[in-house]
Amino acid sequence: MILRAYKREDSPIIAGWVRTEEELYRWSADRFGLFPLLPYSIDDNYVPQLKTGRFIPLTGVDEDGKPVGHLIIRYPKENDDSSVRFGFVIVDPDIRGKGYGRELLLLAKEYVKNNLTATRIDLGVFDNNPKARKCYESVGFTEYGSDGHVCSTPFGEWHCTELEMYI
């Protein structure tokens, strides 16, 4: 896998990976809230954020150039370049459980290390997504801070745990 800049053409592919409304909320919390995702919903969400220069969407592609994973890197604080946040981490459901998520995260970590000044990466994971948490911990993320936060979804209140790593 290689990591490349996200392209508009990736939007319908990634949207197709979100197969249920519950998966949508597990992937994006309340950031989209519309199921099913329309082909360019992701791109439409990203366009205004790209203008800030503090939002970096990336796509993992296989040796044939086919998208197999995706995530975003963003600076959560306006005047702080020391920390970034990973979000919208997703892998093609047809290949989950085969190490692609771990590889995607390792490549994104290297991207931060080689291209940005941040020395800390964080992310949130819902407690009802233990496979994702295990994947994040396998690349070095650890739980930090208080009790996280709760997100209201159509499926109830979901607790989100915050994880971090230093590079």
Side-chain angles (χ1 to χ4, degrees):
M1 177 188 312
I2 63 165
L3 207 52
R4 65 155 168 78
Y6 161 87
K7 300 177 184 178
R8 178 172 166 74
E9 307 85 70
D10 297 339
S11 186
I13 296 167
I14 298 162
W17 294 343
V18 181
R19 302 166 298 184
T20 68
E21 188 175 14
E22 190 169 350
E23 282 184 357
L24 172 67
Y25 279 88
R26 199 171 285 128
W27 171 63
S28 66
D30 56 0
R31 301 293 188 249
F32 286 92
L34 170 70
F35 184 82
L37 286 175
L38 300 174
Y40 291 96
S41 297
I42 294 165
D43 197 68
D44 293 345
N45 180 281
Y46 288 0
V47 167
Q49 297 178 76
L50 286 166
K51 293 176 184 174
T52 68
R54 300 178 69 75
F55 181 86
I56 306 161
L58 299 168
T59 300
V61 296
D62 67 14
E63 59 277 351
D64 298 323
K66 177 185 172 199
V68 295
H70 172 74
L71 56 72
I72 61 105
I73 301 169
R74 68 178 177 87
Y75 290 93
K77 296 179 182 170
E78 182 72 30
N79 296 314
D80 181 1
D81 292 350
S82 68
S83 182
V84 292
R85 186 166 179 89
F86 286 178
F88 299 147
V89 180
I90 191 168
V91 172
D92 178 341
D94 292 337
I95 59 170
R96 288 183 190 155
K98 299 180 180 176
Y100 286 92
R102 186 173 196 282
E103 187 175 356
L104 179 71
L105 291 162
L106 288 171
L107 288 170
K109 176 183 166 183
E110 285 303 305
Y111 180 92
V112 171
K113 188 175 180 180
N114 296 330
N115 297 287
L116 306 176
T117 58
T119 56
R120 179 183 175 274
I121 305 167
D122 71 11
L123 56 76
V125 62
F126 287 118
D127 291 353
N128 65 358
N129 198 353
K131 288 182 182 179
R133 181 172 178 153
K134 182 178 178 184
C135 181
Y136 300 146
E137 289 174 341
S138 79
V139 298
F141 282 97
T142 58
E143 188 173 337
Y144 78 95
S146 63
D147 295 329
H149 64 276
V150 174
C151 181
S152 292
T153 77
F155 309 96
E157 302 287 309
W158 289 359
H159 182 264
C160 183
T161 298
E162 297 294 321
L163 305 176
E164 70 179 351
M165 74 161 54
Y166 287 88
I167 54 172

